[in-house]
């Protein structure tokens, strides 16, 4: 078959077409055969009436990759899965590109729910990604990152790259994966934190999307050992300035998803609305939780109550600011002896982001390192950078998989990661 211009199934118009994709379903009637052809954008019904093609049809198996040359015609297609019920393709020629063997997991979901258990699906992730619902999750995730980049690029932020191999911890020493770096011991970065600060004190407004690694041994539905972050860091900005950036950025991302991912949202049965925002200090948050009969004391982590807190304020970005100093990392600016300029953001039942104003004064940094039982000698390059003209600065980090999970109501963070790395899984 001569190579022609291929179009996506959702772009089919009347007339001659050249399509390439996967055999989604086959129906073999005596005088006529049907192929449901699928590509990443949709499914179309193809009708084989020409007897000369019946032999080729009989060779087809589910998920076999084929090219189809045909004529798009007006029709009234019954199959519920098709993208456009008003068209079908009369097949003129079929070319087999790669025949699929017996499938280890099914791609077609007959029921509304996906039955194969998650672990088996992840073993066959490449096949799993072809499922309508799974494919929809990652098309939306792609839109999240695209919109994040657009939002900050448009406001003259600079996209930066930070190192993934680092010499010392940025968030405390226990959760790092060690790597042998020639004759030295190094670690996989658990955050771009310290580096994005070093860049922001020179380039002012920066953003990045980076992978991070945390060697936490826990196995929860909201932690991965490798995840991706969407980060910003802004010079001459305080904690409230960057919370506002987060509010506007999340609104922008969600409005783009509502506009550009209608099909995917319908497939996932997710009705998105722009979230409201609420700002509470940590102190106020504890009082609100207590008032709602939740047992919690000042100084306790909110993690166990994030879900309850979010249920009290549906579809809301909850900003919890002014955390106690000792609950935030060493690099967070202490507003006074007790309160810091650090914050968390809750949405959809979980923490999606942490951020704050950072310390830009070397002496305060050294003091806070010591208070956190970290050795300032290990942070010499970092501390020294603030000796030569460092503006005050603030930033935050949104976990990409966490945000995907919160936005789409996924019950496990692994559903929002193409190839999760967790306590047990390193392949595929
Ligand atoms: P948590 O308390 O929820 O475990 P954290 O406070 O340790 O998270 P941060 O250091 O604040 O995490 O990281 C910034 C963001 O990155 C978090 O708000 C979250 O969205 C995401 N994140 C953090 N740890 C993980 C992880 N292990 N897996 C997936 N996403 C993560
Ligand atoms: Mg956090």
């Amino acid at each position: 078959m001569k190579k022609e211009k291929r179009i996506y199934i959702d772009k089919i118009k009347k007339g001659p077409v050249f399509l390439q994709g996967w055999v989604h379903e086959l129906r073999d009637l005596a005088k006529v055969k049907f192929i449901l052809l699928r590509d990443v954008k949709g499914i179309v019904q193809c009708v084989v009436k020409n007897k000369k093609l019946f032999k080729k049809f009989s060779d087809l198996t589910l998920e076999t990759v084929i090219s189809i040359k045909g004529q798009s015609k007006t029709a009234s297609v019954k199959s519920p899965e098709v993208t456009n019920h008003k068209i079908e393709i009369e097949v003129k020629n079929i070319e087999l590109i790669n025949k699929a063997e017996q499938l280890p997991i099914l791609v077609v979901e007959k029921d509304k729910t996906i039955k194969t258990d998650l672990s088996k699906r992840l073993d066959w992730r490449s096949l799993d990604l072809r499922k309508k619902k799974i494919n929809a999750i990652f098309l939306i995730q792609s839109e999240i990152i695209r919109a994040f980049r657009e939002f900050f690029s448009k406001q003259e932020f600079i996209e930066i790259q930070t190192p993934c191999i680092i010499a010392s911890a940025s968030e405390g020493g226990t959760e790092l994966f060690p790597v042998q770096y020639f004759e030295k011991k190094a670690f996989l970065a658990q955050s771009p934190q310290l580096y994005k600060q070093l860049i922001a004190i020179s380039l002012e407004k920066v953003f990045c999307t980076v992978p991070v690694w945390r060697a936490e041994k826990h196995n929860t539905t909201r932690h991965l050992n490798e995840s991706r972050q969407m980060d910003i860091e802004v010079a001459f900005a305080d904690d409230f300035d960057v919370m506002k950036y987060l509010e506007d950025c999340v609104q922008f991302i969600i409005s783009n998803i509502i506009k550009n991912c209608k099909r995917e949202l319908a497939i996932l049965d997710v009705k998105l609305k722009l979230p409201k925002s609420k700002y509470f200090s940590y102190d106020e948050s504890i009082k609100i939780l207590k008032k709602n009969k939740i047992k919690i004391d000042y100084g306790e982590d909110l993690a166990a109550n994030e879900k309850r807190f979010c249920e009290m304020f549906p579809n809301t970005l909850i900003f919890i600011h002014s955390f106690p100093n000792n609950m935030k990392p060493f690099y967070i600016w202490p507003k006074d002896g007790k309160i810091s300029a650090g914050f968390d953001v809750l949405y959809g039942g979980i923490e999606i982001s942490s951020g704050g104003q950072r310390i830009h004064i070397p002496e305060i940094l050294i003091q806070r390192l010591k208070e956190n039982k970290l050795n300032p000698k290990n942070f010499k390059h970092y501390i020294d950078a603030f000796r030569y003209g460092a503006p005050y600065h603030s930033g935050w980090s949104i976990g990409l998989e966490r945000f995907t999970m919160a936005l789409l109501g996924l019950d496990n963070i692994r559903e929002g990661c193409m190839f999760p790395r967790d306590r047990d899984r390193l392949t595929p």
Side-chain angles (χ1 to χ4, degrees):
M1 200 185 290
K2 199 172 113 248
K3 183 107 178 108
E4 286 175 49
K5 191 162 164 39
R6 174 191 173 221
I7 50 161
Y8 274 140
I9 283 168
D10 66 337
K11 301 280 182 323
I12 297 174
K13 301 224 168 61
K14 253 193 260 168
V17 287
F18 176 67
L19 305 171
Q20 293 182 305
W22 292 258
V23 173
H24 185 72
E25 215 178 288
L26 294 164
R27 223 167 311 135
D28 191 351
L29 308 181
K31 287 186 182 148
V32 55
K33 324 280 176 198
F34 293 94
I35 304 167
L36 288 191
L37 184 75
R38 188 191 72 241
D39 67 19
V40 73
K41 295 290 190 154
I43 295 174
V44 66
Q45 175 164 290
C46 305
V47 195
V48 186
K49 290 181 183 159
N50 182 346
K51 284 203 176 100
K52 285 183 196 152
L53 293 173
F54 283 7
K55 167 75 184 69
K56 262 191 182 162
F57 177 89
S58 67
D59 280 344
L60 299 180
T61 56
L62 293 183
E63 295 308 307
T64 284
V65 182
I66 55 173
S67 295
I68 280 185
K69 214 170 161 182
Q71 194 75 18
S72 161
K73 298 203 160 145
T74 310
S76 170
V77 181
K78 296 264 155 41
S79 312
E81 307 100 299
V82 297
T83 307
N84 183 347
H85 291 266
K86 295 202 180 101
I87 53 159
E88 68 180 11
I89 310 298
E90 198 175 303
V91 179
K92 304 281 185 218
N93 203 354
I94 304 172
E95 187 195 12
L96 202 141
I97 295 172
N98 192 342
K99 186 165 174 164
E101 298 176 21
Q102 175 84 37
L103 301 175
I105 60 167
L106 286 180
V107 170
V108 181
E109 297 144 19
K110 287 289 178 203
D111 302 308
K112 278 208 153 175
T113 52
I114 298 163
K115 290 278 165 62
T116 317
D117 78 81
L118 180 59
S119 172
K120 184 155 186 205
R121 283 175 38 220
L122 292 175
D123 286 342
W124 299 99
R125 191 55 148 172
S126 171
L127 259 179
D128 191 50
L129 291 175
R130 297 179 196 171
K131 291 180 186 147
K132 234 176 11 174
K133 284 194 173 164
I134 310 303
N135 160 317
I137 292 171
F138 292 105
L139 292 189
I140 291 174
Q141 188 168 78
S142 159
E143 181 65 13
I144 294 173
I145 290 228
R146 193 205 60 73
F148 169 77
R149 284 210 169 92
E150 183 186 337
F151 182 80
F152 287 108
S153 301
K154 272 189 173 161
Q155 299 184 67
E156 297 184 78
F157 277 64
I158 297 163
E159 180 160 4
I160 58 162
Q161 313 296 337
T162 53
C164 292
I165 299 179
I166 55 169
S168 54
S170 44
E171 315 269 325
T174 55
E175 312 153 353
L176 292 161
F177 283 109
V179 279
Q180 193 62 40
Y181 192 73
F182 303 111
E183 48 290 321
K184 291 195 185 111
K185 195 172 170 194
F187 304 96
L188 292 178
Q190 63 191 164
S191 151
Q193 181 57 37
L194 308 187
Y195 288 92
K196 64 176 181 160
Q197 285 186 254
L198 298 188
I199 303 171
I201 60 171
S202 299
L203 301 184
E204 298 202 25
K205 299 195 291 182
V206 299
F207 75 93
C208 59
T209 63
V210 288
V212 295
W213 295 269
R214 299 189 176 195
E216 295 152 346
K217 289 205 170 102
H218 50 42
N219 220 340
T220 79
T221 54
R222 56 200 196 101
H223 291 94
L224 296 164
N225 293 107
E226 177 183 80
S227 63
R228 271 129 291 255
Q229 290 186 184
M230 301 184 287
D231 274 54
I232 70 161
E233 201 63 38
V234 192
F236 307 106
D238 67 15
D239 46 347
F240 282 85
D241 294 329
V242 291
M243 281 190 268
K244 180 71 177 128
Y245 271 123
L246 194 145
E247 192 180 325
D248 294 345
C249 169
V250 169
Q251 295 262 352
F252 182 78
I253 292 173
I254 295 180
S255 67
N256 271 273
I257 292 170
I258 292 171
K259 192 169 70 198
N260 302 330
C261 304
K262 289 194 179 76
R263 169 180 168 258
E264 290 73 25
L265 290 172
I267 288 170
L268 294 168
D269 199 18
V270 171
K271 289 170 189 67
L272 274 190
K273 275 202 245 147
L274 290 182
K276 297 178 281 262
S277 293
K278 286 258 182 222
Y279 286 71
F280 302 115
S281 68
Y282 173 84
D283 188 32
E284 285 168 335
S285 306
I286 295 292
K287 284 181 182 143
I288 292 170
L289 289 169
K290 278 188 166 165
K291 227 175 161 182
N292 282 274
K293 304 209 163 36
I294 292 166
K295 259 189 81 186
I296 188 161
D297 286 320
Y298 190 91
E300 261 182 68
D301 194 354
L302 298 175
N305 294 300
E306 284 166 1
K307 194 158 180 269
R308 294 283 300 276
F309 207 168
C310 289
E311 281 163 4
M312 290 174 213
F313 303 96
N315 196 33
T316 303
L317 286 169
I318 305 176
F319 291 86
I320 305 170
H321 58 83
S322 309
F323 264 83
N325 273 324
N326 62 1
M327 294 183 74
K328 283 290 161 195
F330 71 86
Y331 52 78
I332 293 287
W333 179 252
K335 285 191 198 176
D336 61 37
K338 289 199 180 104
I339 302 301
S340 75
F343 61 84
D344 281 356
V345 188
L346 311 184
Y347 173 62
I350 43 174
E351 177 193 312
I352 57 154
S353 177
S354 285
Q357 183 175 332
R358 328 300 192 181
I359 300 173
H360 61 293
I361 311 288
E363 292 68 37
I364 302 178
L365 201 47
I366 291 167
Q367 186 195 329
R368 287 292 295 143
L369 278 164
K370 286 181 183 162
E371 282 168 15
N372 279 274
K373 308 222 165 7
L374 292 164
N375 187 351
K377 275 192 196 143
N378 296 337
F379 294 84
K380 187 175 181 322
H381 290 290
Y382 174 66
I383 299 165
D384 283 349
F386 298 106
R387 299 188 192 280
Y388 310 104
Y392 64 96
H393 56 286
S394 303
W396 45 251
S397 168
I398 300 178
L400 175 65
E401 293 87 355
R402 277 278 177 92
F403 184 64
T404 310
M405 182 184 182
L407 189 78
L408 302 178
L410 307 176
D411 57 11
N412 191 321
I413 195 165
R414 291 162 184 78
E415 298 281 7
C417 180
M418 288 196 177
F419 292 99
R421 295 287 172 253
D422 63 26
R423 188 76 180 89
D424 306 312
R425 183 174 291 279
L426 195 52
T427 53

